[in-house]
Coordinates of all heavy atoms in Angstrom, one line a residue:
M1 N -26.0 75.9 -10.2 CA -27.3 76.2 -10.8 C -27.1 76.9 -12.2 O -26.3 77.7 -12.3 CB -28.1 77.1 -9.9 CG -29.4 77.4 -10.4 SD -30.4 78.3 -9.1 CE -31.6 76.9 -8.8
N2 N -27.8 76.4 -13.1 CA -27.8 76.9 -14.5 C -28.4 78.3 -14.5 O -29.6 78.4 -14.2 CB -28.5 75.9 -15.4 CG -28.4 76.3 -16.9 OD1 -28.3 77.5 -17.2 ND2 -28.4 75.3 -17.7
Q3 N -27.7 79.3 -14.9 CA -28.2 80.7 -14.9 C -29.2 80.9 -16.1 O -29.9 81.9 -16.1 CB -27.0 81.7 -15.0 CG -26.2 81.6 -13.8 CD -26.9 82.1 -12.5 OE1 -27.7 83.0 -12.5 NE2 -26.7 81.4 -11.4
A4 N -29.2 80.0 -17.1 CA -30.1 80.2 -18.2 C -31.5 79.7 -17.9 O -32.4 80.1 -18.6 CB -29.6 79.4 -19.4
I5 N -31.7 78.9 -16.8 CA -33.0 78.5 -16.4 C -33.5 79.3 -15.2 O -32.8 79.3 -14.2 CB -32.9 77.0 -16.0 CG1 -32.5 76.1 -17.2 CG2 -34.3 76.5 -15.5 CD1 -32.2 74.7 -16.9
L6 N -34.6 80.0 -15.4 CA -35.2 80.8 -14.4 C -36.6 80.2 -14.0 O -37.3 79.9 -15.0 CB -35.3 82.2 -14.9 CG -34.0 82.9 -15.3 CD1 -34.3 84.3 -15.9 CD2 -33.1 83.1 -14.1
F7 N -36.9 80.2 -12.8 CA -38.2 79.7 -12.3 C -39.1 80.9 -12.0 O -38.7 81.8 -11.3 CB -38.0 78.8 -11.2 CG -37.4 77.5 -11.6 CD1 -36.0 77.3 -11.4 CD2 -38.1 76.5 -12.1 CE1 -35.4 76.2 -11.8 CE2 -37.5 75.3 -12.6 CZ -36.1 75.2 -12.4
N8 N -40.3 80.9 -12.5 CA -41.3 81.9 -12.2 C -42.0 81.6 -10.9 O -42.1 80.5 -10.5 CB -42.3 82.0 -13.4 CG -41.6 82.3 -14.7 OD1 -40.8 83.2 -14.8 ND2 -41.9 81.5 -15.7
D9 N -42.5 82.7 -10.3 CA -43.2 82.5 -9.1 C -44.7 82.4 -9.4 O -45.5 83.3 -9.1 CB -42.9 83.7 -8.2 CG -43.5 83.6 -6.8 OD1 -43.7 82.4 -6.3 OD2 -43.8 84.6 -6.1
D10 N -45.1 81.3 -10.0 CA -46.5 81.1 -10.5 C -47.1 79.8 -10.2 O -47.9 79.3 -11.0 CB -46.5 81.4 -12.0 CG -45.6 80.4 -12.8 OD1 -44.9 79.6 -12.2 OD2 -45.7 80.5 -14.0
A11 N -46.7 79.1 -9.1 CA -47.2 77.8 -8.8 C -48.7 77.9 -8.7 O -49.3 78.8 -8.1 CB -46.6 77.3 -7.6
S12 N -49.4 76.9 -9.3 CA -50.9 76.8 -9.2 C -51.2 75.3 -9.1 O -50.4 74.4 -9.4 CB -51.5 77.4 -10.4 OG -51.2 76.8 -11.6
F13 N -52.5 75.0 -8.7 CA -53.0 73.7 -8.6 C -54.0 73.5 -9.7 O -55.0 74.2 -9.8 CB -53.6 73.4 -7.3 CG -54.1 72.0 -7.1 CD1 -53.2 70.9 -7.1 CD2 -55.4 71.7 -6.9 CE1 -53.7 69.6 -7.0 CE2 -55.9 70.5 -6.8 CZ -55.0 69.4 -6.8
N14 N -53.8 72.5 -10.6 CA -54.8 72.1 -11.6 C -55.6 71.0 -11.1 O -55.2 69.8 -11.0 CB -54.0 71.7 -12.9 CG -54.9 71.4 -14.0 OD1 -56.0 70.9 -13.8 ND2 -54.4 71.6 -15.2
A15 N -56.8 71.3 -10.6 CA -57.7 70.4 -10.0 C -58.2 69.3 -11.0 O -58.4 68.2 -10.6 CB -58.9 71.1 -9.3
T16 N -58.4 69.7 -12.2 CA -58.8 68.8 -13.2 C -57.8 67.6 -13.4 O -58.2 66.5 -13.5 CB -59.1 69.5 -14.6 OG1 -60.0 70.5 -14.3 CG2 -59.6 68.6 -15.6
Q17 N -56.6 68.0 -13.5 CA -55.5 67.0 -13.8 C -54.8 66.6 -12.5 O -53.9 65.7 -12.5 CB -54.5 67.5 -14.8 CG -55.1 67.7 -16.1 CD -54.1 68.1 -17.2 OE1 -53.2 68.9 -16.9 NE2 -54.2 67.6 -18.4
Q18 N -55.3 67.1 -11.3 CA -54.7 66.7 -10.0 C -53.2 66.9 -10.0 O -52.5 65.9 -9.8 CB -55.2 65.3 -9.6 CG -56.6 65.3 -9.2 CD -56.9 66.0 -7.9 OE1 -56.5 65.5 -6.9 NE2 -57.6 67.1 -8.0
R19 N -52.7 68.1 -10.3 CA -51.3 68.3 -10.3 C -50.9 69.7 -10.0 O -51.7 70.7 -10.2 CB -50.7 67.9 -11.6 CG -51.1 68.7 -12.8 CD -50.5 68.1 -14.1 NE -50.7 69.1 -15.2 CZ -50.2 68.8 -16.4 NH1 -49.6 67.7 -16.7 NH2 -50.4 69.7 -17.4
I20 N -49.7 69.9 -9.4 CA -49.2 71.2 -9.2 C -48.4 71.6 -10.5 O -47.7 70.8 -11.0 CB -48.2 71.2 -8.0 CG1 -48.9 70.7 -6.7 CG2 -47.5 72.6 -7.8 CD1 -48.0 70.4 -5.6
E21 N -48.6 72.9 -10.9 CA -47.9 73.3 -12.1 C -47.2 74.6 -11.8 O -47.7 75.5 -11.1 CB -48.9 73.6 -13.2 CG -49.7 72.4 -13.6 CD -50.8 72.6 -14.6 OE1 -51.2 73.8 -14.9 OE2 -51.3 71.7 -15.2
F22 N -46.0 74.8 -12.4 CA -45.3 76.0 -12.3 C -44.4 76.1 -13.6 O -44.3 75.1 -14.3 CB -44.4 76.1 -11.1 CG -43.3 75.1 -10.9 CD1 -42.0 75.3 -11.3 CD2 -43.6 73.8 -10.4 CE1 -41.0 74.4 -11.1 CE2 -42.6 72.8 -10.3 CZ -41.3 73.1 -10.6
T23 N -43.9 77.2 -13.9 CA -43.2 77.4 -15.1 C -41.7 77.8 -14.9 O -41.4 78.4 -13.9 CB -43.8 78.4 -16.1 OG1 -43.9 79.7 -15.4 CG2 -45.2 78.0 -16.5
A24 N -40.9 77.4 -15.9 CA -39.5 77.8 -15.9 C -39.3 78.4 -17.3 O -40.0 78.2 -18.3 CB -38.6 76.6 -15.8
M25 N -38.2 79.3 -17.3 CA -37.8 79.8 -18.6 C -36.4 79.4 -18.9 O -35.5 79.5 -18.0 CB -37.9 81.4 -18.6 CG -39.3 81.9 -18.5 SD -39.4 83.7 -18.6 CE -38.7 83.9 -20.3
N26 N -36.2 78.9 -20.1 CA -34.9 78.4 -20.5 C -34.6 79.1 -21.8 O -35.2 78.8 -22.9 CB -34.8 76.9 -20.7 CG -33.4 76.4 -21.0 OD1 -32.4 77.1 -20.8 ND2 -33.3 75.2 -21.5
S27 N -33.7 80.1 -21.8 CA -33.3 80.8 -23.0 C -34.5 81.4 -23.7 O -34.7 81.3 -24.9 CB -32.5 80.0 -24.0 OG -31.3 79.5 -23.3
G28 N -35.5 81.9 -22.9 CA -36.7 82.6 -23.5 C -37.9 81.6 -23.7 O -39.0 82.1 -24.0
L29 N -37.6 80.3 -23.6 CA -38.7 79.3 -23.8 C -39.4 79.1 -22.5 O -38.7 78.8 -21.5 CB -38.1 78.0 -24.4 CG -39.1 76.9 -24.6 CD1 -40.1 77.2 -25.7 CD2 -38.3 75.6 -25.0
I30 N -40.7 79.1 -22.5 CA -41.5 78.9 -21.2 C -41.8 77.4 -21.2 O -42.3 76.8 -22.2 CB -42.8 79.7 -21.2 CG1 -42.4 81.2 -21.1 CG2 -43.6 79.2 -20.0 CD1 -43.6 82.1 -21.1
I31 N -41.4 76.7 -20.1 CA -41.6 75.3 -19.9 C -42.5 75.0 -18.7 O -42.2 75.5 -17.6 CB -40.2 74.6 -19.7 CG1 -39.3 74.9 -20.9 CG2 -40.4 73.1 -19.5 CD1 -37.9 74.6 -20.6
R32 N -43.6 74.3 -18.9 CA -44.5 74.0 -17.8 C -43.9 72.8 -17.1 O -43.5 71.7 -17.7 CB -45.9 73.6 -18.3 CG -46.8 73.3 -17.2 CD -48.3 73.2 -17.6 NE -48.7 74.4 -18.4 CZ -49.0 75.6 -18.0 NH1 -48.9 75.8 -16.7 NH2 -49.4 76.5 -18.8
C33 N -43.8 72.9 -15.7 CA -43.3 71.8 -14.9 C -44.5 71.3 -14.0 O -45.2 72.1 -13.5 CB -42.2 72.3 -14.0 SG -40.8 73.1 -14.8
C34 N -44.6 70.0 -13.9 CA -45.8 69.4 -13.3 C -45.5 68.3 -12.3 O -44.6 67.5 -12.5 CB -46.7 68.8 -14.4 SG -47.1 69.9 -15.7
V35 N -46.2 68.3 -11.2 CA -46.1 67.3 -10.1 C -47.4 66.8 -9.8 O -48.4 67.5 -9.4 CB -45.5 68.0 -8.8 CG1 -45.3 66.9 -7.8 CG2 -44.2 68.8 -9.1
A36 N -47.6 65.5 -10.0 CA -48.9 64.8 -9.6 C -49.2 65.0 -8.2 O -48.3 64.8 -7.3 CB -48.8 63.4 -10.0
F37 N -50.4 65.4 -7.8 CA -50.8 65.7 -6.4 C -52.3 65.5 -6.3 O -53.0 66.3 -6.8 CB -50.3 67.1 -6.0 CG -50.4 67.3 -4.5 CD1 -49.3 67.1 -3.7 CD2 -51.6 67.6 -3.9 CE1 -49.3 67.3 -2.3 CE2 -51.6 67.8 -2.5 CZ -50.5 67.6 -1.7
E38 N -52.7 64.5 -5.6 CA -54.1 64.3 -5.3 C -54.4 65.0 -4.0 O -53.7 64.8 -3.0 CB -54.4 62.8 -5.2 CG -54.3 62.2 -6.5 CD -54.7 60.7 -6.5 OE1 -55.5 60.3 -5.5 OE2 -54.3 59.9 -7.3
G39 N -55.5 65.8 -4.0 CA -55.8 66.5 -2.8 C -56.4 67.9 -3.1 O -56.9 68.2 -4.2
E40 N -56.5 68.7 -2.0 CA -57.0 70.0 -2.1 C -56.0 71.1 -2.6 O -54.8 70.9 -2.3 CB -57.6 70.5 -0.8 CG -58.7 69.5 -0.3 CD -60.0 69.6 -1.2 OE1 -60.3 70.7 -1.7 OE2 -60.5 68.5 -1.5
E41 N -56.4 72.2 -3.2 CA -55.5 73.2 -3.6 C -54.6 73.8 -2.5 O -53.4 73.9 -2.7 CB -56.3 74.3 -4.3 CG -55.5 75.5 -4.8 CD -56.2 76.6 -5.5 OE1 -57.5 76.6 -5.4 OE2 -55.6 77.4 -6.1
A42 N -55.2 74.1 -1.4 CA -54.4 74.7 -0.3 C -53.3 73.7 0.2 O -52.2 74.2 0.4 CB -55.4 75.1 0.9
T43 N -53.7 72.4 0.3 CA -52.7 71.4 0.7 C -51.6 71.3 -0.4 O -50.4 71.2 0.0 CB -53.4 70.1 0.9 OG1 -54.4 70.2 1.8 CG2 -52.4 69.0 1.4
A44 N -52.0 71.3 -1.6 CA -51.0 71.2 -2.7 C -50.0 72.3 -2.7 O -48.8 72.2 -2.9 CB -51.7 71.0 -4.0
L45 N -50.6 73.5 -2.6 CA -49.7 74.7 -2.7 C -48.8 74.8 -1.4 O -47.7 75.3 -1.5 CB -50.5 76.0 -2.9 CG -51.3 76.0 -4.2 CD1 -52.1 77.3 -4.3 CD2 -50.3 75.9 -5.4
A46 N -49.3 74.4 -0.3 CA -48.5 74.4 0.9 C -47.3 73.4 0.8 O -46.2 73.7 1.1 CB -49.3 74.1 2.2
H47 N -47.7 72.2 0.2 CA -46.6 71.2 -0.1 C -45.6 71.8 -1.0 O -44.4 71.6 -0.8 CB -47.3 70.0 -0.7 CG -46.3 69.0 -1.2 ND1 -45.6 68.1 -0.4 CD2 -45.8 68.7 -2.4 CE1 -44.8 67.3 -1.1 NE2 -44.9 67.7 -2.4
F48 N -46.0 72.4 -2.1 CA -45.1 73.0 -3.0 C -44.2 74.0 -2.4 O -43.0 74.0 -2.6 CB -45.8 73.6 -4.2 CG -44.8 74.2 -5.2 CD1 -44.1 73.4 -6.1 CD2 -44.6 75.6 -5.2 CE1 -43.2 74.0 -7.0 CE2 -43.7 76.1 -6.1 CZ -43.0 75.3 -7.0
A49 N -44.8 74.9 -1.6 CA -44.0 76.0 -0.9 C -42.9 75.3 0.0 O -41.8 75.8 0.1 CB -44.9 76.9 -0.1
E50 N -43.2 74.2 0.6 CA -42.3 73.6 1.5 C -41.2 72.9 0.8 O -40.0 72.8 1.3 CB -43.0 72.5 2.4 CG -42.2 71.9 3.4 CD -43.0 70.9 4.3 OE1 -44.2 71.1 4.4 OE2 -42.3 70.0 4.9
H51 N -41.4 72.4 -0.4 CA -40.5 71.7 -1.2 C -40.1 72.3 -2.5 O -39.5 71.7 -3.4 CB -41.0 70.3 -1.5 CG -41.3 69.5 -0.3 ND1 -40.4 68.9 0.5 CD2 -42.5 69.2 0.3 CE1 -41.0 68.3 1.5 NE2 -42.3 68.5 1.4
Q52 N -40.3 73.6 -2.6 CA -40.1 74.3 -3.9 C -38.7 74.2 -4.4 O -38.4 73.9 -5.6 CB -40.4 75.8 -3.7 CG -40.3 76.6 -5.0 CD -40.7 78.1 -4.8 OE1 -41.3 78.4 -3.8 NE2 -40.5 78.9 -5.8
F53 N -37.7 74.3 -3.5 CA -36.3 74.2 -4.0 C -36.0 72.8 -4.5 O -35.3 72.7 -5.6 CB -35.3 74.5 -2.8 CG -33.9 74.5 -3.2 CD1 -33.3 75.5 -3.9 CD2 -33.1 73.4 -2.8 CE1 -32.0 75.4 -4.3 CE2 -31.7 73.3 -3.2 CZ -31.2 74.4 -3.9
D54 N -36.5 71.8 -3.9 CA -36.3 70.4 -4.4 C -36.9 70.2 -5.8 O -36.3 69.6 -6.7 CB -36.9 69.4 -3.4 CG -36.3 69.4 -2.0 OD1 -35.0 69.6 -2.0 OD2 -37.0 69.3 -1.0
Y55 N -38.1 70.8 -6.0 CA -38.8 70.7 -7.3 C -38.0 71.4 -8.3 O -37.9 71.0 -9.5 CB -40.2 71.1 -7.2 CG -41.1 70.1 -6.5 CD1 -41.9 70.4 -5.4 CD2 -41.2 68.8 -6.9 CE1 -42.7 69.5 -4.8 CE2 -42.0 67.8 -6.3 CZ -42.7 68.2 -5.2 OH -43.5 67.3 -4.6
E56 N -37.5 72.6 -8.0 CA -36.8 73.4 -8.9 C -35.5 72.7 -9.3 O -35.1 72.7 -10.5 CB -36.5 74.8 -8.4 CG -37.8 75.7 -8.4 CD -37.6 77.0 -7.8 OE1 -36.5 77.3 -7.3 OE2 -38.6 77.8 -7.8
M57 N -34.8 72.1 -8.4 CA -33.6 71.4 -8.7 C -33.9 70.2 -9.6 O -33.1 69.9 -10.6 CB -32.9 70.9 -7.4 CG -32.4 72.0 -6.6 SD -31.0 73.0 -7.4 CE -29.8 71.7 -7.4
Q58 N -35.0 69.5 -9.3 CA -35.4 68.3 -10.2 C -35.7 68.8 -11.6 O -35.3 68.2 -12.6 CB -36.6 67.6 -9.5 CG -36.9 66.3 -10.1 CD -38.1 65.7 -9.4 OE1 -38.9 65.0 -10.0 NE2 -38.4 65.9 -8.1
A59 N -36.5 69.9 -11.7 CA -36.9 70.4 -13.0 C -35.6 70.9 -13.7 O -35.6 70.6 -14.9 CB -37.8 71.6 -12.8
E60 N -34.7 71.5 -13.1 CA -33.5 72.0 -13.7 C -32.8 70.9 -14.4 O -32.3 70.9 -15.5 CB -32.6 72.8 -12.7 CG -31.4 73.3 -13.4 CD -30.5 74.0 -12.4 OE1 -31.0 74.5 -11.4 OE2 -29.3 74.1 -12.6
A61 N -32.6 69.8 -13.6 CA -31.9 68.6 -14.2 C -32.6 68.0 -15.4 O -32.0 67.7 -16.4 CB -31.7 67.6 -13.1
L62 N -33.9 67.9 -15.3 CA -34.7 67.4 -16.5 C -34.6 68.3 -17.7 O -34.6 67.8 -18.8 CB -36.1 67.1 -16.0 CG -36.3 65.9 -15.0 CD1 -37.7 65.9 -14.5 CD2 -35.9 64.6 -15.6
I63 N -34.7 69.6 -17.4 CA -34.6 70.6 -18.5 C -33.3 70.5 -19.2 O -33.2 70.5 -20.4 CB -34.9 72.0 -18.1 CG1 -36.4 72.1 -17.6 CG2 -34.6 73.0 -19.1 CD1 -36.8 73.3 -16.9
E64 N -32.2 70.4 -18.4 CA -30.9 70.3 -19.0 C -30.7 69.0 -19.8 O -30.0 69.0 -20.8 CB -29.8 70.3 -17.9 CG -29.7 71.7 -17.2 CD -28.7 71.8 -16.1 OE1 -28.3 70.7 -15.6 OE2 -28.4 72.9 -15.6
E65 N -31.4 67.9 -19.4 CA -31.3 66.7 -20.1 C -32.3 66.6 -21.3 O -32.4 65.7 -22.0 CB -31.7 65.5 -19.2 CG -30.7 65.3 -18.1 CD -31.1 64.3 -17.0 OE1 -32.2 63.7 -17.2 OE2 -30.4 64.2 -16.0
E66 N -33.1 67.7 -21.4 CA -34.2 67.8 -22.4 C -35.2 66.6 -22.3 O -35.6 66.1 -23.3 CB -33.6 67.9 -23.8 CG -32.8 69.2 -24.0 CD -32.2 69.4 -25.4 OE1 -32.6 68.7 -26.3 OE2 -31.4 70.3 -25.5
S67 N -35.5 66.3 -21.1 CA -36.5 65.2 -20.8 C -37.9 65.8 -20.7 O -38.4 66.0 -19.6 CB -36.1 64.5 -19.5 OG -34.9 63.9 -19.6
Y68 N -38.5 66.0 -21.9 CA -39.8 66.6 -21.9 C -40.9 65.5 -22.3 O -40.5 64.5 -23.0 CB -39.9 67.6 -23.0 CG -38.9 68.8 -22.8 CD1 -37.8 68.9 -23.6 CD2 -39.1 69.7 -21.8 CE1 -36.9 69.9 -23.4 CE2 -38.2 70.7 -21.6 CZ -37.1 70.8 -22.4 OH -36.2 71.8 -22.2
S69 N -42.1 65.7 -21.8 CA -43.2 64.8 -22.2 C -43.6 65.1 -23.6 O -43.1 66.0 -24.3 CB -44.4 65.0 -21.3 OG -45.0 66.2 -21.5
A70 N -44.5 64.3 -24.2 CA -45.0 64.5 -25.5 C -45.6 65.9 -25.7 O -45.6 66.5 -26.8 CB -46.0 63.4 -25.9
E71 N -46.1 66.4 -24.6 CA -46.8 67.7 -24.5 C -45.8 68.9 -24.3 O -46.2 70.0 -24.2 CB -47.9 67.8 -23.5 CG -49.1 66.9 -23.7 CD -48.8 65.4 -23.3 OE1 -47.9 65.2 -22.5 OE2 -49.4 64.6 -23.9
G72 N -44.5 68.5 -24.2 CA -43.5 69.5 -24.0 C -43.3 70.0 -22.6 O -42.7 71.0 -22.3
E73 N -43.9 69.2 -21.6 CA -43.8 69.5 -20.2 C -42.7 68.7 -19.5 O -42.3 67.7 -20.0 CB -45.1 69.2 -19.5 CG -46.3 70.0 -20.1 CD -47.7 69.5 -19.6 OE1 -47.8 68.3 -19.3 OE2 -48.6 70.3 -19.5
V74 N -42.3 69.2 -18.3 CA -41.4 68.4 -17.5 C -42.2 67.8 -16.4 O -42.9 68.5 -15.7 CB -40.3 69.3 -16.9 CG1 -39.4 68.6 -16.0 CG2 -39.4 69.9 -18.1
L75 N -42.2 66.5 -16.3 CA -43.0 65.8 -15.3 C -42.1 65.4 -14.2 O -41.1 64.6 -14.3 CB -43.6 64.5 -15.9 CG -44.5 64.8 -17.2 CD1 -45.0 63.5 -17.7 CD2 -45.6 65.8 -16.8
L76 N -42.4 65.9 -13.0 CA -41.5 65.7 -11.8 C -42.1 64.6 -10.9 O -43.3 64.4 -10.8 CB -41.4 67.0 -11.0 CG -41.0 68.2 -11.9 CD1 -41.1 69.5 -11.0 CD2 -39.6 68.1 -12.4
S77 N -41.2 64.0 -10.1 CA -41.6 63.0 -9.1 C -41.9 63.8 -7.8 O -41.2 64.8 -7.5 CB -40.4 62.1 -8.8 OG -40.1 61.4 -10.0
R78 N -42.9 63.3 -7.1 CA -43.3 64.0 -5.9 C -42.2 63.7 -4.8 O -41.8 62.6 -4.7 CB -44.6 63.5 -5.5 CG -45.2 64.2 -4.2 CD -46.6 63.9 -4.0 NE -47.0 64.4 -2.7 CZ -48.1 64.2 -2.2 NH1 -49.1 63.6 -2.8 NH2 -48.4 64.7 -1.0
V79 N -41.9 64.7 -4.1 CA -40.9 64.6 -3.0 C -41.6 64.5 -1.6 O -42.8 64.9 -1.5 CB -39.8 65.6 -2.9 CG1 -38.9 65.5 -4.2 CG2 -40.4 67.0 -2.8

């Protein structure tokens, strides 16, 4: 695991965009990580809690590859 990438404990559900969002820090830069998720907030956050490690590993790999969207976000595949 890359020690320069830290994940914050701030997962939230964006109902407007239907996605789970959380942030990572890489050398002081805050990076928003997003997972498309249709459904209710409680279901989305329970899903994230169950698969948090998988999402963090996926995000870490994409951050290391500098695979950012046009908005500077990391877009993750749902597990």
Side-chain angles (χ1 to χ4, degrees):
M1 180 171 250
N2 186 329
Q3 295 297 319
I5 300 173
L6 302 172
F7 292 95
N8 300 311
D9 188 25
D10 63 351
S12 62
F13 181 65
N14 182 326
T16 304
Q17 295 186 320
Q18 289 288 291
R19 65 186 193 177
I20 300 167
E21 301 176 344
F22 62 100
T23 59
M25 291 185 65
N26 185 19
S27 301
L29 178 66
I30 296 175
I31 303 162
R32 182 170 311 283
C33 305
C34 307
V35 182
F37 192 97
E38 292 184 20
E40 300 294 320
E41 179 177 10
T43 305
L45 294 178
H47 171 81
F48 179 78
E50 184 176 338
H51 300 284
Q52 182 173 352
F53 182 74
D54 297 320
Y55 286 124
E56 289 178 355
M57 292 296 292
Q58 191 180 149
E60 180 179 337
L62 292 170
I63 292 168
E64 288 176 349
E65 295 169 6
E66 297 183 12
S67 296
Y68 303 109
S69 70
E71 294 79 23
E73 301 170 327
V74 174
L75 305 177
L76 308 173
S77 300
R78 186 170 168 183
V79 295

